[in-house]
Amino acid sequence: MIQRTLSIIKPDAVKKNVSGKIISILEENGIKIVAIKMLTLSRKVAEGFYYVHKDKGFFNSLIDFMTSGPVVVMILEGDNVIEKYRKLMGATNPEKADAGTIRKLYATDIEKNAVHGSDAVETADFETRYFFNAFEINER
Ligand code: ADP
Ligand code: MG
């Protein structure tokens, strides 16, 4: 089934100058980018995005990190792309991520882990609308 999912190249990966390498992995795996932009998240925007984690011990540190520099946000499209992209990302903790995954290759640690990806149809719907208007999403 053709799906859409939200991807974020996080501030650590943008700083390391590996955004292009991450995008190449997506393209080499047949995933289409249908929307893309770079922006610097305000605390309010980052807190709203990660509201499900607001009671976690790492929340404030996560918001500090996510607002520490620009991010690249994208909507990815493809067959079963939610799960497919999560597999390409690898585990949240890069020490546990499989060889060749984006997080194994480019993450710093469990917090500064290079990329975000929606985890289900409902979260993908919320997250893509959170960052993009309908007229920013392209037909390909
Ligand atoms: P994922 O991004 O793999 O879906 P989660 O949704 O569980 O992971 O967590 C959201 C983000 O919060 C992670 O990508 C990571 O940046 C950060 N995070 C998760 N767990 C921890 C932790 N134990 N310590 C610090 N940061 C964490
Ligand atoms: Mg998550």
Side-chain angles (χ1 to χ4, degrees):
M1 205 185 32
I2 299 296
Q3 298 173 331
R4 286 177 175 168
T5 193
L6 189 84
S7 166
I8 304 178
I9 302 176
K10 295 185 180 183
D12 59 324
V14 174
K15 282 200 182 87
K16 287 180 189 171
N17 237 12
V18 294
S19 301
K21 291 193 192 303
I22 292 169
I23 288 170
S24 285
I25 292 173
L26 304 177
E27 293 187 334
E28 283 159 8
N29 282 278
I31 292 172
K32 288 181 185 172
I33 298 166
V34 296
I36 183 166
K37 59 189 172 190
M38 179 180 276
L39 69 162
T40 303
L41 305 184
S42 66
R43 292 194 79 83
K44 219 170 217 181
V45 168
E47 285 167 2
F49 182 74
Y50 277 125
Y51 77 97
V52 292
H53 295 300
K54 63 180 170 2
D55 298 323
K56 305 261 172 69
F58 59 79
F59 185 69
N60 278 323
S61 177
L62 175 63
I63 301 306
D64 287 344
F65 163 56
M66 289 300 292
T67 58
S68 67
V71 297
V72 176
V73 290
M74 298 179 277
I75 297 178
L76 310 180
E77 187 179 271
D79 190 41
N80 196 33
V81 74
I82 296 173
E83 191 187 335
K84 186 174 177 177
Y85 171 52
R86 292 283 307 190
K87 285 207 174 110
L88 291 173
M89 286 167 54
T92 308
N93 183 349
E95 286 174 16
K96 295 185 181 157
D98 290 340
T101 60
I102 296 168
R103 282 168 164 168
K104 189 64 164 189
L105 288 166
Y106 301 119
T108 307
D109 57 36
I110 191 170
E111 177 184 82
K112 297 172 180 61
N113 60 2
V115 282
H116 168 85
S118 312
D119 61 8
V121 172
E122 297 72 26
T123 48
D125 188 56
F126 168 77
E127 292 177 0
T128 55
R129 287 170 198 273
Y130 193 80
F131 282 111
F132 293 96
N133 291 117
F135 57 77
E136 294 177 295
I137 304 172
N138 299 272
E139 298 290 335
R140 287 192 56 187

